[in-house]
DNA sequence: CTTAGCGGCCTTTTT
DNA sequence: GGCCGCTAAG
């Protein structure tokens, strides 16, 4: 049911608020709805903020307003976000608003960071010691493996990962081992699922550790079991604000309800306003942008807000300040196909702007090519590369774009690859630091005990673990005891002893030297740096760089301890990633961002909507996929470019694809069909042309029939011939090597190489250079022959490339090089992307 | 203890 | 087609 439109602010509240307004410049420039959202301070408020309607501004202004009106001090406001990034942004903006640092808001943070804060204060009540450690996903898996071992579960059939997923899911729903539904608990390891979960929790307690899920589950338990503690927080938090409410999962929801209402169920049938606990809770979100159902988010939370908080004020922000008319209309039309939504109608006063374009192409290579060409064109027209993004459904799609951009010399950055703290070398490094800081951190100890390899293998580790279990002591102590005894072979014994001695030695230096120097010392003396230096693989270099980056980052902290506390929670680093670059990322990663021009490739059935979402979640899954389409479109300020391929390469082989149903859901009036200008566009062109001008003659414009028939056209056949020639042609064969998805290259190239090395205006375009020089046109080659400047490299030079590693130059053409990479095969690259190897 | 080779998996991802 | 994780051989 769609809640009634918001009633205007009433009585004394508005009067009071208005009185303030005169002296509150921050309220100026807000539209009426935004202002209402800022000024409705009493009771529960749900702000439905459509894409680009000024959500963050409302949230931050509201906080500023609460403080400015003296209703509460910063320390009495609880403001939760999902990501550290969002928390940072909010802090920053409130700071700008209030003028000054936001030291006064200790309770602004992520659900998890606030959860830790609360748990640390009452650790004993939660059955923990105050210095408990927080396990990351890696530690979690490690621990689960041990649990599976002890229970002698076949790890082949029942991987620890899967159990981790299940436990995560249970924790997301706030279920402790005894609360897990029997059927579900039985679904793992022949009915042992529940037991294993219980065992895992027991081990966590023994280790004085919690995982991410526990930060909330344990908090909820604390609140339930200790009403006095809950009451304390309830009186402390006069105002509660929640960002991205549509993304909350069940524990977060319970957590909030306990804090806001003091109980988990709303008063049924009671007059809402009479509840003098008066939860001043304000949730901001957009049901249409709920795209995290698969990791436990419950859209229902936002859909039933007014049932949880009877009498809640619902305010809709529908005035969009981001996108031009056609884009907004297209997005709205698509999202309107969804059933379960609260319903909003976004509008804009701005210009209609350009229509959303739809282009069908032959395959992913051509798709990347037309996108690259268009970006080239836009850049020449003065478009900022930072204002361009390519948003895709799945990360494997990025490959084609990266390849193409490298060929073009187009600077790009990838967001959402493996993040900094997820890289193996960083985890190793942090594990060392953690062990030095706290030698009883068993999982970290286990991680580094044989990295770099020092002859302490699985058997030894297992014996240490067994010993530590038997005596209920930490691994490091167990190891020390075993070194004293004659348990181990002399070699192992010595090696282990050296390690333990080193740890002690480093530990004794904590107080005496700068933590950054200590870190360097540790990486050096442990042999870790030496290991990377000895590593000839192409990634080793950037790994060393990452370590340096880590040490640089440590400078921001005063102590080792401070640094470690930070990283256990914040798996994120703000690295200077500046410079003009095109952004490549997934649709998920794009939520909350905006760009002038947005490319949306891969709109094909099976990929988007993703087949798996459909199979596993049916209509619900489809609607979430549709919301993803909505999120994608609404990222665009001025230009949105949708494309789909007719042939998608999956698992190495080509499969013909059908355009996404979402393409058909775009409203005719706001869309323009564009022909691909490449040589492979025959099929689509025939469709667009054959279907009548515009191609919108009712029914599906892109359905299978149309495509089937187009397969007979000359264009298609030509294209097919082409692709066959290409497939076997030189320079194409290299496709598919060495991408090493996520090998620390996630940032694209490091600074230094500049896109400007690639002279604009020198590019000759398809297809004018036809068969004159080569019978087959191989992409990249035309470009390769067209640049004037001579390269500093010559045939036979050995070079190093950030992404492809080492190789030898086999051909030089202007500033384009053909290089035979040792690992990656033959690639064409721009010389500015390589250095002498 | 290390390394090579084989088999299974393959959407999205924060804390 | 490629990567990760595990197992079995050296």
């Amino acid at each position: 049911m769609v809640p009634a439109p918001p009633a205007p602010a009433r009585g004394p509240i508005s009067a009071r608020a208005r009185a303030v307004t005169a002296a509150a410049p921050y309220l100026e420039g807000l539209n009426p709805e935004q202002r209402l959202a800022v000024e409705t301070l009493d009771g529960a408020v749900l702000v439905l903020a459509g894409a680009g309607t000024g959500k963050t501004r409302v949230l931050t202004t509201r906080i500023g307003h609460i403080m400015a009106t003296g209703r509460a001090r910063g320390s009495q406001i609880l403001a939760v976000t999902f990501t550290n990034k969002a928390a940072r942004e909010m802090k920053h903006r409130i700071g700008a608003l209030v003028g000054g640092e936001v030291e006064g808001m200790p309770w602004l943070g992520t659900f998890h960071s606030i959860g830790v804060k609360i748990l640390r204060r009452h650790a004993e009540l939660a059955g923990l010691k105050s210095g408990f450690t927080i396990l990351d996903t890696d530690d979690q898996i490690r621990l689960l493996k041990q649990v599976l071992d002890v229970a002698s579960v076949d790890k082949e059939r029942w991987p620890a990962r899967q159990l981790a997923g299940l436990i995560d899911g249970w924790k997301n729903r706030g279920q402790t081992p005894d609360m897990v539904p029997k059927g579900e608990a039985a679904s793992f390891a022949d009915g042992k699922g529940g037991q294993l979960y219980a065992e895992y929790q027991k081990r966590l307690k023994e280790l004085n550790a919690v995982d991410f899920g526990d930060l909330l589950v344990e908090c909820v338990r604390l609140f339930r079991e200790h009403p006095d503690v809950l009451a304390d927080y309830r009186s402390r938090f006069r105002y509660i604000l929640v960002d991205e409410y549509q993304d909350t999962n069940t524990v977060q929801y319970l957590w909030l309800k306990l804090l806001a209402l003091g109980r988990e169920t709303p008063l049924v049938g009671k007059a809402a306003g009479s509840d003098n606990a008066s939860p001043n809770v304000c949730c901001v979100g957009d049901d249409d942008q709920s795209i995290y159902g698969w990791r436990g988010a419950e859209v229902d939370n936002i859909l039933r807000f007014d049932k949880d908080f009877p009498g809640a004020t619902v305010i809709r922000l529908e005035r969009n300040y981001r996108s031009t008319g056609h884009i907004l209309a297209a997005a709205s039309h698509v999202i309107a196909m969804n059933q379960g939504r609260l319903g909003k109608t976004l509008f804009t006063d701005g210009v209609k702007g350009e229509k959303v374009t739809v282009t069908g192409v032959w395959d992913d290579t051509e798709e990347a090519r037309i996108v690259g060409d268009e970006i080239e064109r836009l850049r020449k027209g003065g478009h900022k590369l930072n204002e361009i993004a390519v948003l895709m459904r799945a990360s494997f799609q990025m490959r084609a774009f990266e390849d193409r951009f490298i060929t073009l010399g187009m600077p790009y950055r990838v967001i959402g690859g493996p993040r900094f703290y997820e890289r193996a070398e960083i985890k190793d490094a942090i594990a060392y630091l953690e062990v030095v800081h706290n030698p009883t951190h068993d999982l970290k100890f286990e991680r580094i005990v044989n990295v770099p390899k020092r002859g302490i293998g699985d058997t030894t580790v297992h014996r240490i673990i067994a010993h530590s279990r038997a005596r209920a002591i930490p691994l490091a102590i167990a190891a020390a005891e075993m070194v004293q005894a004659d348990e181990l072979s002399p070699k192992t014994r010595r090696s282990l002893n050296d390690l333990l001695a080193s740890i002690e030695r480093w530990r004794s230096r904590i107080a005496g030297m700068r933590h950054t120097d200590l870190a360097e010392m540790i990486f050096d003396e442990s042999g870790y740096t030496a290991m990377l230096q000895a590593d000839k693989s192409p990634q080793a270099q950037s790994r060393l760089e990452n370590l340096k980056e880590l040490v640089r980052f440590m400078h921001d902290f005063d102590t080792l301890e401070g640094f470690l506390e930070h990283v256990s929670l914040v798996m994120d680093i703000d690295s200077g990633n500046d410079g003009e670059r095109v952004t490549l990322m997934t649709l998920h990663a794009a939520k909350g961002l905006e760009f002038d021009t947005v490319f949306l490739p891969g709109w094909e059935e099976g990929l988007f909507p993703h087949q798996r979402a459909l199979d596993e979640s049916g209509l619900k899954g489809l609607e979430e996929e549709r919301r993803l389409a909505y999120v994608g479109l609404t990222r665009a300020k001025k230009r949105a470019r949708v494309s789909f391929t007719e042939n998608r390469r999956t698992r190495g082989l080509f499969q013909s694809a059908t355009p996404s149903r979402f393409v058909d859901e775009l409203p005719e009036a706001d869309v323009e069909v564009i022909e691909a200008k490449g040589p492979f566009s025959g099929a689509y062109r025939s469709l667009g042309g054959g279907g009548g001008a515009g191609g919108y003659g009712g029914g599906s414009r892109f359905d299978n029939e149309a495509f089937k028939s187009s397969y007979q056209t000359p264009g298609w056949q030509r294209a097919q011939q082409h692709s066959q020639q290409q497939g076997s042609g030189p320079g194409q064969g290299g496709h598919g090597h060495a991408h090493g998805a996520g090998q620390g290259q996630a940032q694209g190239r490091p600074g230094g190489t500049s896109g400007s090395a690639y002279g604009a205006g020198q590019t000759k375009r398809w297809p004018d250079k036809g068969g004159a020089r080569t019978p087959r046109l191989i992409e990249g080659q035309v470009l390769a022959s067209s640049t004037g400047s001579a390269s500093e490299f010559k045939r036979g030079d050995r070079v190093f490339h950030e992404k492809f590693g080492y190789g030898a130059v086999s051909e030089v053409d202007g500033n384009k090089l053909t290089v035979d990479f040792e690992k990656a095969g033959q690639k064409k690259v721009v010389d500015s992307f390589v250095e002498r190897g």
Side-chain angles (χ1 to χ4, degrees):
Chain A
M1 208 56 239
V2 176
R10 349 155 248 273
I13 303 159
S14 59
R16 212 154 80 210
R18 285 207 179 103
V20 175
T21 310
Y26 55 81
L27 291 175
E28 272 163 39
L30 293 177
N31 67 37
E33 297 76 34
Q34 290 176 328
R35 188 152 167 180
L36 190 61
V38 167
E39 295 186 297
T40 310
L41 296 180
D42 293 305
V45 178
L46 175 63
V47 180
L48 289 173
T53 54
K55 180 194 69 163
T56 311
R57 178 161 183 205
V58 162
L59 218 38
T60 51
T61 311
R62 187 181 164 94
I63 291 173
H65 187 59
I66 290 170
M67 295 195 278
T69 50
R71 292 247 191 158
R73 280 180 281 118
S75 60
Q76 296 170 316
I77 301 172
L78 171 67
V80 273
T81 63
F82 274 83
T83 62
N84 291 298
K85 199 173 144 212
R88 262 200 309 270
E89 159 101 4
M90 211 184 287
K91 259 188 189 144
H92 180 76
R93 289 180 60 169
I94 295 170
L97 197 70
V98 180
E101 290 307 302
V102 201
E103 293 306 332
M105 288 208 62
W107 301 101
L108 189 169
T110 62
F111 277 100
H112 296 266
S113 68
I114 290 167
V116 194
K117 197 164 192 168
I118 293 176
L119 272 187
R120 287 228 191 268
R121 297 174 146 211
H122 314 278
E124 335 69 46
L125 295 182
L128 293 159
K129 281 168 264 167
S130 66
F132 63 82
T133 52
I134 301 162
L135 305 191
D136 59 29
T137 324
D138 235 56
D139 299 330
Q140 205 182 333
I141 301 278
R142 209 179 295 271
L143 186 59
L144 279 170
K145 277 185 183 156
Q146 290 177 19
V147 171
L148 291 177
D149 260 346
V150 171
S152 38
V153 171
D154 181 3
K155 280 185 303 212
E156 285 275 291
R157 278 194 58 197
W158 307 105
R161 262 176 199 296
Q162 193 190 330
L163 182 57
L166 283 169
I167 291 180
D168 248 27
W170 291 326
K171 288 188 176 177
N172 281 340
R173 290 183 311 200
Q175 293 166 326
T176 48
D178 52 301
M179 295 160 68
V180 176
K182 285 215 166 49
E184 273 183 60
S187 71
F188 188 87
D190 306 317
K192 295 207 199 94
Q195 272 165 263
L196 293 168
Y197 178 16
E199 189 54 35
Y200 168 70
Q201 289 307 118
K202 198 173 135 227
R203 290 284 297 131
L204 283 173
K205 285 273 152 63
E206 283 166 17
L207 290 165
N208 191 31
V210 294
D211 63 18
F212 283 122
D214 286 337
L215 294 178
L216 294 160
V217 175
E218 290 298 318
C219 239
V220 166
R221 187 214 299 269
L222 176 75
F223 290 159
R224 278 177 182 157
E225 293 176 0
H226 300 276
D228 51 318
V229 174
L230 176 59
D232 178 51
Y233 285 104
R234 292 199 61 219
S235 62
R236 176 193 304 265
F237 300 138
R238 299 214 186 155
Y239 290 90
I240 299 177
L241 293 94
V242 187
D243 191 17
E244 305 278 16
Y245 189 60
Q246 78 283 351
D247 287 337
T248 48
N249 62 30
T250 305
V251 222
Q252 287 158 343
Y253 170 77
L254 291 173
W255 190 88
L256 276 172
K257 276 221 291 196
L258 282 164
L259 282 170
L261 292 168
R263 58 178 185 273
E264 290 161 59
T265 45
L267 285 184
V268 182
K270 290 265 191 301
S274 73
D275 184 27
N276 60 6
S278 89
N280 295 323
V281 56
C282 174
C283 295
V284 181
D286 181 359
D287 50 318
D288 290 334
Q289 292 186 67
S290 164
I291 54 176
Y292 286 110
W294 50 273
R295 67 176 193 212
E298 293 281 348
V299 210
D300 275 1
N301 292 349
I302 196 170
L303 298 182
R304 60 154 189 261
F305 185 85
D306 57 343
K307 303 207 171 40
D308 292 322
F309 300 99
T313 308
V314 178
I315 298 168
R316 286 180 163 71
L317 303 184
E318 298 175 304
R319 180 183 297 264
N320 177 289
Y321 294 98
R322 180 186 294 153
S323 309
T324 47
H326 284 303
I327 293 169
L328 199 60
S332 300
H333 192 263
V334 169
I335 199 63
M337 308 287 290
N338 271 6
Q339 295 305 307
R341 56 192 292 258
L342 293 170
K344 290 184 301 306
T345 315
L346 295 188
F347 64 94
T348 173
D349 294 339
V351 293
K352 287 286 232 175
E354 292 182 31
K355 290 186 174 182
V356 174
T357 67
V358 175
T359 307
V361 294
W362 176 245
D363 65 1
D364 58 340
T365 309
E366 192 194 1
E367 192 173 47
R369 195 176 51 71
I370 63 156
V371 168
D373 285 355
E374 167 119 27
I375 294 176
E376 214 28 278
R377 197 157 39 239
L378 289 167
R379 163 149 89 174
K380 280 178 198 153
H383 200 306
K384 289 244 179 291
L385 294 185
N386 279 340
E387 281 296 328
I388 299 177
V390 186
L391 310 180
M392 45 227 132
R393 178 64 242 265
S395 25
F396 76 81
Q397 293 173 262
M398 285 186 198
R399 248 260 265 127
F401 291 94
E402 286 196 61
D403 275 358
R404 184 61 189 167
F405 290 173
I406 285 171
T407 306
L408 286 175
M410 176 72 69
Y412 68 90
R413 103 190 83 209
V414 173
I415 308 277
R419 279 179 313 286
F420 192 71
Y421 285 116
E422 269 160 34
R423 305 193 181 158
E425 66 277 15
I426 298 301
K427 285 183 168 177
D428 288 338
I430 287 172
Y432 265 103
L433 297 173
E434 183 72 57
V435 166
V436 170
H437 168 247
N438 169 17
T440 67
H441 197 314
D442 283 2
L443 296 157
K444 299 296 188 212
F445 183 84
E446 201 184 325
R447 179 174 185 109
I448 51 107
V449 69
N450 198 33
V451 179
K453 304 221 183 315
R454 47 172 72 90
I456 303 169
D458 277 353
T459 44
T460 311
V461 172
H462 274 118
R463 289 169 68 184
I464 301 175
I465 290 175
H467 185 58
S468 90
R469 286 258 177 83
R471 306 233 11 226
I473 50 175
L475 288 184
I477 312 237
E481 287 186 5
M482 288 172 71
V483 167
Q484 300 304 315
D486 269 329
E487 291 282 333
L488 307 163
S489 72
K491 218 177 89 198
T492 314
R493 184 174 155 179
R494 194 170 145 177
S495 175
L496 190 54
N497 190 39
D498 283 352
L499 176 67
L500 293 169
S502 298
I503 292 173
E504 261 328 296
R505 183 159 31 82
W506 296 323
R507 194 171 158 65
S508 70
R509 306 296 298 273
I510 291 180
M513 63 194 290
R514 278 172 38 201
H515 61 298
T516 45
D517 293 338
L518 177 63
E520 277 171 355
M521 180 192 241
I522 294 171
F523 302 155
D524 257 13
E525 294 183 6
S526 64
Y528 201 87
T529 352
M531 176 185 82
L532 288 180
Q533 277 159 356
D535 186 347
K536 289 286 170 252
S537 76
Q539 301 88 19
Q541 194 58 39
S542 69
R543 290 189 178 150
L544 280 168
E545 278 302 315
N546 287 337
L547 282 190
K548 282 187 198 148
E549 176 70 30
L550 181 71
V551 173
R552 267 197 295 279
F553 184 62
M554 286 176 73
H555 278 108
D556 294 349
F557 298 84
D558 295 331
T559 62
L560 181 62
E561 189 175 9
F563 167 75
L564 289 171
E565 173 74 14
H566 176 83
V567 292
S568 67
L569 228 66
V570 183
M571 307 292 286
D572 183 21
I573 191 172
D574 251 348
S575 60
N577 202 0
D578 32 327
E580 277 292 312
R581 285 149 190 261
V582 176
T583 302
L584 297 183
M585 62 183 149
T586 63
L587 287 162
H588 285 91
K591 188 155 75 116
L593 305 177
E594 58 179 30
F595 301 89
D596 281 340
T597 301
V598 167
F599 292 90
L600 299 163
W603 283 38
E604 297 129 40
E605 281 295 302
L607 174 60
F608 188 39
H610 199 279
Q611 193 56 47
R612 209 151 146 177
L614 264 34
D615 291 346
E616 285 171 11
S617 315
L619 181 63
K620 231 177 141 207
L622 174 63
E623 296 210 336
E624 182 154 314
E625 296 286 294
R626 192 178 279 119
R627 291 194 288 267
L628 216 37
Y630 173 76
V631 166
L633 285 166
T634 53
R635 297 311 96 194
K637 288 195 269 191
K638 297 181 183 150
R639 262 174 299 271
R641 305 242 179 278
V642 172
S643 58
F644 58 85
T645 66
E646 286 174 68
N647 297 88
R648 174 65 59 182
R649 193 168 19 194
T650 20
R651 271 177 240 121
L653 33 98
F654 275 99
Q655 284 196 310
S656 74
T658 312
S660 167
R661 67 192 77 191
F662 301 148
V663 171
D664 284 322
E665 290 172 8
L666 292 167
E668 212 171 294
D670 303 293
V671 169
E672 181 185 2
V673 175
I674 303 271
E675 288 177 20
K677 293 193 198 68
F680 305 137
S681 55
Y684 186 68
R685 183 184 304 137
S686 78
L687 173 94
Y696 288 111
S700 173
R701 291 155 272 160
F702 304 101
D703 63 7
N704 239 339
E705 283 319 296
F707 271 88
K708 285 269 161 50
S709 65
S710 72
Y711 278 34
Q712 317 307 325
T713 64
W716 187 84
Q717 285 171 4
R718 197 177 69 233
Q720 192 177 42
Q721 266 176 2
H722 233 98
S723 90
Q724 277 162 3
Q725 286 172 343
Q726 266 218 319
S728 55
Q732 265 309 96
H735 248 311
H737 299 284
H739 214 261
Q743 286 166 1
Q745 269 22 292
Q747 307 293 325
R749 296 166 291 120
T753 34
S754 113
S756 62
Y758 180 71
Q762 300 173 319
T763 316
K764 280 243 174 87
R765 245 163 232 304
W766 279 118
D768 41 330
K769 226 179 166 154
R773 202 165 70 89
T774 43
R776 312 179 278 244
L777 285 173
I778 292 158
E779 60 169 300
Q781 192 140 328
V782 172
L783 290 165
S785 62
S786 62
T787 45
S789 65
S791 173
E792 55 166 323
F793 294 97
K794 59 182 193 306
R795 245 183 98 103
D797 281 356
R798 188 176 154 75
V799 294
F800 175 76
H801 185 279
E802 178 76 9
K803 188 164 196 91
F804 299 129
Y806 289 97
V809 177
S810 69
E811 202 170 38
V812 181
D813 190 356
N815 64 349
K816 302 290 193 295
L817 312 174
T818 303
V819 181
D820 291 318
F821 288 103
E822 288 162 16
K823 294 262 159 53
Q826 195 178 72
K827 297 275 174 188
K828 284 182 196 308
V829 298
V830 179
D831 63 358
S832 58
F833 279 71
V834 300
E835 53 195 63
R836 295 198 179 276

